[in-house]
């Protein structure tokens, strides 16, 4: 997930991201939320205030994500399976149910998510 605390849809979906993470983590989901275009302390403080228990990282100047992940839409969700293959890219705010349904592509085991 690429996000920023300055982004209204990103702020709006954060509680839903946490709900989806708690539901999917027992199945092996690893969620990484990379904050872009803001100081790390601002991103980490916002995530902490909002109870995010998934991994939060920061790339304020896009030095690590820039060419490989040219993000222009916020939020952007990239769903990667256990083999490291990108299965889906979602350029929209998601609620918990939408995220869980979208994540079905990474579990590929026939079980309902």
């Amino acid at each position: 997930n690429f996000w920023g605390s300055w982004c209204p849809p990103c702020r709006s979906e954060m509680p839903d991201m946490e709900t989806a993470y708690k539901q999917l983590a027992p199945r092996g989901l690893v969620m990484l939320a990379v904050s872009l275009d803001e100081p790390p302390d601002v991103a980490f403080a916002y995530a902490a205030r909002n109870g995010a228990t998934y991994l939060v990282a920061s790339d304020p100047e896009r030095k690590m994500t820039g060419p490989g992940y040219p993000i222009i839409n916020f939020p952007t969700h990239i769903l990667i399976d256990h083999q490291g293959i990108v299965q889906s890219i979602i350029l929209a705010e998601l609620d918990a149910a939408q995220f869980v349904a979208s994540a079905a592509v990474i579990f590929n085991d026939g079980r309902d998510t």
Side-chain angles (χ1 to χ4, degrees):
N1 168 252
F2 291 93
W3 71 288
S5 67
W6 47 265
C7 160
C10 302
R11 290 193 310 264
S12 175
E13 78 173 1
M14 188 168 272
D16 286 305
M17 297 293 293
E18 179 65 21
T19 298
Y21 174 69
K22 286 181 177 177
Q23 184 176 344
L24 296 170
R27 295 201 47 207
L29 177 83
V30 174
M31 186 182 299
L32 174 62
V34 181
S35 170
L36 299 175
D37 304 334
E38 66 184 338
D41 58 327
V42 172
F44 297 145
Y46 186 84
R49 277 193 316 274
N50 286 278
T53 61
Y54 46 84
L55 298 171
V56 176
S58 177
D59 189 8
E61 296 173 12
R62 300 185 185 216
K63 290 181 180 178
M64 295 177 278
T65 56
Y69 296 91
I71 305 301
I72 58 171
N73 185 81
F74 288 87
T76 292
H77 304 275
I78 301 175
L79 300 170
I80 304 169
D81 70 17
H82 68 282
Q83 294 178 328
I85 299 169
V86 173
Q87 293 293 327
S88 181
I89 298 173
I90 302 166
L91 305 175
E93 177 182 353
L94 296 174
D95 65 24
Q98 291 169 320
F99 187 85
V100 169
S102 298
V105 300
I106 65 173
F107 290 111
N108 202 13
D109 62 2
R111 289 181 18 188
D112 291 335
T113 52

